[in-house]
Structure formats: C-alpha cells, structure tokens
Amino acid sequence: ITNIQYLYDSDLFVLTIDEHSIFKITLTGAIEPNIIVKKSSGEYIEIGRTGSLFLDAGTYYFYVTSTQLGEVSFMVK
C-alpha cells in the first residue's frame, strides 16, 4: 500500500526475480494511478494501470504515480 501525498508523487517498488515469469499487476483505491515499469538498464517495459507482464530474470522498478491524492494498493502476483 502506498500513499500519493502530492501531485505527481511517484512511489518506487523494486522486484527482483530469478526466472522468466508472468506477473499480474493490480491497482486498487479511490484514485487512478499509473504504473511505469523499468528494467535495471533503464529500459521502459510497460506504462499503464493494470495487466500482465512477461518478465525475464532480473531487477525491475515499478513507479506508481498519479495526479490525484490518496491511497493506492499495488499488487504484483
């Protein structure tokens, strides 16, 4: 759970995985946030709100951002 405290606030989550996998991203809350996903190399993977990602082994950075204020539940399965 993260809290967008000011306009254009961006909260970072780091995920390191050992093998190629499919992940489902879910965002819930009263506001409409966006997700920016980057590889450790800086390459963008996906920009959006929810969906599935096919990720190879490595480290990924998930930025949750919004132009609205409020709480967001960010889940990766």
Side-chain angles (χ1 to χ4, degrees), residues 38-71:
K38 287 180 158 182
K39 288 184 177 181
S40 57
S41 65
E43 177 186 350
Y44 285 94
I45 303 295
E46 176 104 7
I47 299 175
R49 292 203 63 220
T50 60
S52 297
L53 292 175
F54 299 91
L55 301 177
D56 290 321
T59 300
Y60 296 86
Y61 301 91
F62 293 77
Y63 296 87
V64 179
T65 186
S66 181
T67 58
Q68 301 172 322
L69 305 181
E71 188 176 278

